[in-house]
Amino acid sequence: MVALGKCLTCSRLQLAMMFVITVNLTTDVTVAMQITSTGSQTIQRAQGETVMLGCTYTPAPSDTGDLDIEWLSVHPDMTQKDQLVISYTGGQKLHYGDPGLSKRMDFTGDPALGDASVSISAVKASDTATYQCKVKKAPGVDMRKVTLVVMVPPSVPKCWVEGGEEKGADVSLRCKSSVGSTPLNYVWTRESGGAIPPTATQNSQTGELMIRNHSESYMGNYLCVVSNPVGKEQCKYTLHAYNPPNKAGIIAAAVIGALLLLLLLLLLIWLLVCCCHKRRYEKEVAHEIREDAPAPESRPSSRNSSFRSALGFRSPPGAAYSSVRKGQPKRTESDNRSFYTNSSIGMPAPSKQKAPHLPPVLKYDSSNGYPV
């Protein structure tokens, strides 16, 4: 009985000690530095808006050191160092890093009074990142991360139809927004004429509405709405139904046009060939004429003058010569001999033939080309 009582006493002491330790641990946890901000840790905002990143804190009574608050941009690569953007140390606010971001970030309240929240004005797509709030007051420290996603709202889309709007054919209505952060969601609805045709299928990612076997009952106004988490826009298209064209007539016209084009091409080729033959014929005829033409006779006056110049002959004063001896008496060999004999001593031989008082009448010789 005594041993049993001692065991019970030991068990009670152990339970009491465990209770005291548990209470002390719980008290230490509740009184340590703690960030009290709640809410979603992922925030989506449209470009150009102002966003607030919450970070309220409650220090413990034992946290008596200097207050130090830091907002950092967490690098996606864990091996890289995070970038400090703004801090509160020794009662002063300090900005760091990229001025394009740090100047747009500021504390919303008094950081010394338990509010370390910051706001970012005119957010940009480049501001998309995970931001960390770190509050230190020795010996307490706590931190909180918030992910900011800056999105671009969709621009006004363009609505059009691909191909024709013929009856009995497939008609494809298209809707596309050129600007906007993904994911973009496209939805087609029918404003007039009833519901979406039963033969139609639409793709919410590409913005296509395909209508099979188009008919007049599918005519009307169709509305396309494009949206993402930060905005939406819309466009309209009025769908018609046209009778299909006469395909047989189109084919016949195409064939006739092709034949006419071929005939025109053949005519041009024939004209070019005829022109080439004509030029070749003219060249051959001109060449034959040049070969058959006789060489022109040399002028007697030219031959006589060259012969007299070669002999050093001088014409005696008062003597007249004609290029052709027609109608004049011939000079004998003895006369020539006496003439050359006298000319050798510088005196011209007297002519035995009495020169006529009047010059002979000259006639134009067409064969020689000069008067004779």
Side-chain angles (χ1 to χ4, degrees):
M1 294 295 291
V2 175
L4 181 60
K6 291 181 178 181
C7 290
L8 291 174
T9 302
C10 291
S11 299
R12 290 173 182 174
L13 290 174
Q14 290 176 356
L15 290 173
M17 291 178 65
M18 290 178 64
F19 177 76
V20 171
I21 293 172
T22 304
V23 171
N24 290 333
L25 291 174
T26 305
T27 303
D28 291 340
V29 172
T30 55
V31 298
M33 172 68 71
Q34 184 178 8
I35 293 178
T36 59
S37 294
T38 59
S40 176
Q41 290 184 289
T42 300
I43 302 175
Q44 290 181 339
R45 289 291 184 273
Q47 182 174 269
E49 294 183 357
T50 298
V51 61
M52 188 187 76
L53 307 180
C55 182
T56 56
Y57 66 92
T58 302
S62 59
D63 297 334
T64 57
D66 294 333
L67 179 63
D68 186 12
I69 301 174
E70 295 178 346
W71 275 96
L72 302 97
S73 175
V74 180
H75 201 284
D77 187 357
M78 300 299 294
T79 62
Q80 301 295 325
K81 187 178 179 180
D82 298 337
Q83 179 65 49
L84 181 61
V85 182
I86 190 173
S87 69
Y88 181 84
T89 304
Q92 293 183 350
K93 294 185 292 184
L94 300 174
H95 297 268
Y96 306 89
D98 181 13
L101 173 61
S102 62
K103 288 184 178 180
R104 291 182 289 112
M105 181 182 287
D106 199 3
F107 290 100
T108 59
D110 188 352
L113 299 179
D115 188 5
S117 303
V118 295
S119 64
I120 305 176
S121 61
V123 292
K124 304 176 182 179
S126 59
D127 297 337
T128 299
T130 297
Y131 297 91
Q132 178 180 273
C133 174
K134 187 176 182 180
V135 181
K136 296 185 294 183
K137 193 173 185 181
V141 59
D142 198 7
M143 60 188 67
R144 181 176 187 258
K145 291 183 178 180
V146 180
T147 300
L148 173 64
V149 180
V150 180
M151 304 186 70
V152 179
S155 60
V156 177
K158 178 184 177 182
C159 292
W160 76 97
V161 63
E162 281 193 354
E165 302 174 52
E166 302 172 5
K167 299 177 183 178
D170 295 341
V171 176
S172 175
L173 288 176
R174 292 297 188 117
C175 179
K176 185 66 176 179
S177 181
S178 59
V179 178
S181 298
T182 57
L184 293 175
N185 185 58
Y186 296 91
V187 177
W188 279 96
T189 57
R190 193 175 179 184
E191 280 193 329
S192 62
I196 291 290
T199 60
T201 57
Q202 61 176 308
N203 190 323
S204 61
Q205 295 180 353
T206 62
E208 180 185 14
L209 176 66
M210 177 63 72
I211 302 177
R212 307 286 181 180
N213 193 17
H214 184 43
S215 65
E216 291 184 357
S217 61
Y218 299 157
M219 294 170 45
N221 296 325
Y222 288 78
L223 176 68
C224 173
V225 177
V226 56
S227 62
N228 65 4
V230 295
K232 64 180 181 179
E233 291 291 346
Q234 65 183 23
C235 63
K236 298 180 181 180
Y237 187 83
T238 302
L239 183 63
H240 302 87
Y242 301 109
N243 293 322
N246 186 1
K247 295 183 178 180
I250 294 176
I251 295 174
V255 172
I256 294 173
L259 291 176
L260 291 176
L261 182 61
L262 180 61
L263 290 176
L264 179 60
L265 182 61
L266 293 176
L267 179 61
L268 290 176
I269 294 174
W270 180 76
L271 290 175
L272 289 175
V273 171
C274 291
C275 184
C276 292
H277 281 298
K278 182 178 179 181
R279 290 183 179 178
R280 185 181 301 175
Y281 175 76
E282 290 177 351
K283 290 181 179 179
E284 291 177 354
V285 170
H287 183 67
E288 290 177 358
I289 291 174
R290 286 196 298 269
E291 288 182 349
D292 295 340
E297 297 181 358
S298 61
R299 297 183 179 182
S301 59
S302 301
R303 290 197 301 270
N304 294 334
S305 60
S306 60
F307 178 73
R308 288 195 300 271
S309 62
L311 295 178
F313 176 78
R314 293 183 179 180
S315 178
Y321 296 93
S322 174
S323 58
V324 179
R325 302 189 177 200
K326 184 178 181 181
Q328 294 184 3
K330 295 183 180 180
R331 182 171 297 186
T332 61
E333 185 177 355
S334 59
D335 294 336
N336 291 336
R337 206 166 38 242
S338 62
F339 173 79
Y340 289 114
T341 302
N342 294 329
S343 63
S344 62
I345 60 175
M347 294 294 291
S351 177
K352 293 182 180 181
Q353 181 69 30
K354 192 173 183 180
H357 294 284
L358 297 176
V361 179
L362 300 179
K363 294 183 180 180
Y364 182 78
D365 189 353
S366 60
S367 61
N368 294 325
Y370 52 86
V372 295

